[in-house]
Amino acid sequence: FTKKTPAKPRFAAGAVGPTNKTLSVSPSVENPAFRGCTYDEIVEAYYEQVEALIDGGVDVLLVETIFDTLNAKAAMFAIDMFFEKWGQKIPVFVSGTIVDNSGRTLSGQTNEAFWNSMSHAKPIAIGLNCALGAKDMVPYIENLSRVADCWVFCYPNAGLPNAMGGYDQKGAEMAEDCRVFPDEGLINAIGGCCGTTDEHIKCLADMVATYKPREKHDVPDIMRLSGLEPFNYAPNEKDYRKTFINLGERCNVAGSTIFKKAIVDGNYEKALAIALKQVENGAHVIDVNMDDGLIDGESAMTRFVNLMVSEPDVS
């Protein structure tokens, strides 16, 4: 198609899906620290997929429908590993998905926290897809467009699914629902996810043809961290005490005998309560240390961090 109309080049994006596993959520209700797979296993699976996609000739990698940010981090790590071995790079897009009108991913993050978690990877574009129709996606694309300093895109579903799991929204109606995105200057690219056909894509292309794409903008160069919520640290240079970061140090076996005893005894419920108490007392960040001769540090760290991630009031 590009050869037929060279003034309108086409590019093939290789979709790197979320997998059917999650690194942040336990598949066992009885054991919130359990995970059905490891980070290394997910990285290996993504590496194999990326290698095959690039061997197939894709121009762009699209890490998409991300419901668990740790999966996305594994994907970006695998991509970096492959690029280093390959000696070349191609653009990478990252697309999250929110599960309902709370605006959060399945693992519980807001979309600004999702951006904070992914921004270090420097994707060429970030966006949202699936889960919602265009109307419900608007406030979250607005927020992503505000906080991200790269290109922003979206590809919503054709409305919400009907009782049979199908999608009834036609192309023209979907395009009108999506008009708000270019109207408000929120996006640089648009497409369709579940329920969309070539008719929907044509209607979207015709609709955006007269609009200018969103202009990229700088964001303040500050420290940006994330749990389920974003933590953006902008210090007050005239009075640092007003913007002091509270760092919780009690989940440290070298600094708390109570915490150490809980870990040595295998009492992770008590250890988690110590983390929760620090958050309740105003900690912005929790420091965790399991370096002790009486403790298997790797397994203890894994179990405890998995528990903290599974507890919304801590994470």
Side-chain angles (χ1 to χ4, degrees):
F1 283 101
T2 298
K3 287 180 180 179
K4 290 180 180 179
T5 52
K8 187 180 179 181
R10 278 77 162 185
F11 301 95
V16 181
T19 81
N20 62 350
K21 300 289 186 180
T22 171
L23 289 169
S24 298
V25 181
S26 173
S28 170
V29 176
E30 294 80 15
N31 185 3
F34 176 72
R35 297 295 183 268
C37 55
T38 67
Y39 181 86
D40 290 342
E41 288 170 341
I42 294 294
V43 168
E44 184 179 353
Y46 276 131
Y47 187 96
E48 183 178 342
Q49 185 179 14
V50 168
E51 187 174 38
L53 287 169
I54 290 179
D55 187 51
V58 300
D59 304 295
V60 178
L61 289 172
L62 173 59
V63 181
E64 51 91 17
T65 321
I66 293 298
F67 56 80
D68 183 343
T69 308
L70 192 53
N71 283 40
K73 283 179 171 285
M76 298 303 284
F77 182 65
I79 289 169
D80 283 345
M81 286 175 59
F82 181 83
F83 285 168
E84 185 175 356
K85 180 181 177 181
W86 190 33
Q88 302 178 56
K89 290 186 176 182
I90 62 173
V92 179
F93 290 16
V94 176
S95 184
T97 189
I98 49 184
V99 294
D100 54 34
N101 284 321
S102 70
R104 295 178 182 271
T105 63
L106 182 66
S107 55
Q109 277 196 314
T110 66
N111 65 340
E112 184 174 355
F114 174 67
W115 164 249
N116 283 5
S117 296
M118 300 307 302
S119 59
H120 71 283
K122 302 295 182 185
I124 194 173
I126 192 154
L128 296 174
N129 74 285
C130 202
L132 302 176
K135 288 182 178 179
D136 294 323
M137 197 179 279
V138 172
Y140 312 116
I141 290 296
E142 284 178 339
N143 193 50
L144 204 54
S145 180
R146 176 182 61 84
V147 301
D149 58 1
C150 62
W151 307 122
V152 173
F153 63 92
C154 66
Y155 53 112
N157 294 339
L160 297 175
N162 58 33
M164 302 301 293
Y167 293 84
D168 301 320
Q169 192 174 54
K170 302 301 182 184
E173 182 184 357
M174 180 182 178
E176 281 306 306
D177 282 354
C178 289
R179 188 177 294 276
V180 61
F181 299 123
D183 261 345
E184 300 294 329
L186 302 178
I187 57 169
N188 303 98
I190 194 167
C193 198
C194 300
T196 60
T197 65
D198 52 353
E199 176 219 349
H200 293 79
I201 302 305
K202 183 180 187 305
C203 289
L204 289 170
D206 291 343
M207 182 271 293
V208 298
T210 59
Y211 289 94
K212 290 184 178 180
R214 165 185 173 271
E215 293 186 7
K216 282 199 296 187
H217 58 81
D218 292 329
V219 296
D221 186 16
I222 60 176
M223 182 175 72
R224 300 174 188 275
L225 307 177
S226 60
L228 298 185
E229 306 284 343
F231 175 54
N232 303 326
Y233 178 61
N236 182 341
E237 295 183 2
K238 295 181 179 179
D239 188 353
Y240 281 102
R241 288 182 179 274
K242 289 184 178 179
T243 51
F244 194 79
I245 296 178
N246 294 317
L247 181 63
E249 284 278 359
R250 296 297 86 195
C251 294
N252 183 336
V253 295
S256 171
T257 55
I258 297 174
F259 181 77
K260 178 181 176 179
K261 187 174 188 308
I263 296 299
V264 171
D265 293 345
N267 190 347
Y268 282 84
E269 186 175 334
K270 182 176 181 179
L272 185 62
I274 293 172
L276 178 59
K277 187 66 175 178
Q278 291 177 97
V279 174
E280 291 173 344
N281 287 339
H284 298 106
V285 180
I286 297 292
D287 171 52
V288 182
N289 174 34
M290 298 290 184
D291 187 15
D292 186 271
L294 297 176
I295 296 170
D296 180 352
E298 183 176 346
S299 63
M301 179 71 80
T302 300
R303 184 176 176 185
F304 184 63
V305 170
N306 284 351
L307 283 171
M308 287 202 299
V309 168
S310 300
E311 175 49 66
D313 290 334
V314 175
S315 58

